[in-house]
């Protein structure tokens, strides 16, 4: 009986110690290779940009093409430069949900069809909305995230097209 109680106590101490170590080392913000969220964001943010426009409004886009890049999105970034956006590219049309996990600023979200025509818009999605997600009314191929206020400031509306 003493061995059993000692074993249970030992397991509890090991699990408690492991949870403290994991919490202190911020392992929950690391990828499979042990890279921190901060380094992941820096690496992704250094990707090349595309020049585009919506109507007469120029915008500089960074693409999120891989599943990892789409999941990371703008999470962990302190801000997004003015007139820049993150352009999500999906393999097929779907109800592409967007969440605000680990976001530090509000954004406008635009969903686009295969012809780059805007089919739905959510303005001022805030970090406080997490864990809720935002979804379009119809399936989309692309999603564009821009700073909150971009849509209103530039008169962007459903039916406008993105030119890359």
């Amino acid at each position: 009986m003493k061995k059993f109680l000692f074993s249970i106590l030992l397991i509890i101490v090991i699990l408690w110690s492991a949870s403290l170590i994991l919490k202190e080392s911020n392992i929950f913000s690391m990828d499979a290779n042990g890279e921190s969220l901060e380094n992941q964001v820096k690496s992704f943010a250094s990707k090349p940009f595309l020049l585009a426009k919506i109507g007469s409004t120029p915008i500089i886009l960074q693409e999120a093409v891989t599943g990892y890049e789409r999941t990371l999105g703008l999470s962990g970034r302190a801000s997004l430069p003015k007139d820049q956006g993150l352009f999500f590219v999906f393999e097929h049309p779907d109800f592409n949900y967007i969440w605000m996990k680990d976001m530090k600023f509000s954004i406008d979200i635009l969903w686009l069809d295969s012809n780059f025509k805007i089919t739905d818009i959510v303005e001022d999605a805030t970090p406080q909305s997490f864990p809720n997600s935002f979804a379009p009314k119809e399936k989309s191929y692309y999603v564009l995230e821009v700073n909150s206020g971009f849509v209103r400031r530039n008169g962007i509306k459903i039916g406008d097209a993105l030119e890359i």
Side-chain angles (χ1 to χ4, degrees):
M1 182 72 170
K2 286 183 181 180
K3 282 185 177 180
F4 176 75
L5 289 175
F6 179 75
S7 297
I8 296 295
L9 181 61
L10 183 61
I11 290 171
I12 290 171
V13 169
I14 290 171
L15 291 175
W16 177 73
S17 298
S19 71
L20 287 177
I21 291 168
L22 291 174
K23 189 174 184 180
E24 286 298 314
S25 68
N26 205 17
I27 193 116
F28 296 114
S29 294
M30 295 187 180
D31 69 5
N33 298 320
E35 189 176 11
S36 71
L37 178 60
E38 182 180 352
N39 286 340
Q40 294 170 53
V41 168
K42 284 179 184 175
S43 174
F44 180 41
S46 67
K47 283 183 66 172
F49 290 88
L50 302 171
L51 297 176
K53 64 180 183 172
I54 302 174
S56 62
T57 304
I59 184 167
I60 299 169
L61 304 178
Q62 181 179 31
E63 287 184 293
V65 178
T66 68
Y68 173 75
E69 291 170 346
R70 291 188 304 256
T71 299
L72 182 62
L74 293 170
S75 298
R77 296 189 194 191
S79 64
L80 183 65
K82 185 180 182 212
D83 298 329
Q84 288 191 17
L86 184 59
F87 187 64
F88 295 76
V89 179
F90 294 91
E91 290 85 23
H92 53 82
D94 206 345
F95 291 97
N96 297 304
Y97 288 78
I98 299 295
W99 64 358
M100 299 295 287
K101 185 177 188 305
D102 296 324
M103 286 291 293
K104 297 179 180 182
F105 56 96
S106 298
I107 58 172
D108 292 344
I109 307 167
L110 300 87
W111 286 268
L112 302 97
D113 65 15
S114 60
N115 296 315
F116 303 103
K117 187 174 90 176
I118 298 170
T119 59
D120 205 355
I121 299 172
V122 167
E123 294 184 62
D124 197 33
T126 65
Q128 295 76 21
S129 65
F130 183 77
N132 296 325
S133 299
F134 299 94
K137 295 179 184 87
E138 58 186 73
K139 292 181 179 183
S140 65
Y141 266 101
Y142 309 101
V143 176
L144 174 59
E145 293 180 347
V146 292
N147 282 308
S148 181
F150 180 88
V151 168
R152 179 184 32 77
R153 202 171 41 256
N154 294 293
I156 308 296
K157 59 191 178 311
I158 292 175
D160 287 349
L162 177 72
E163 297 176 43
I164 298 177

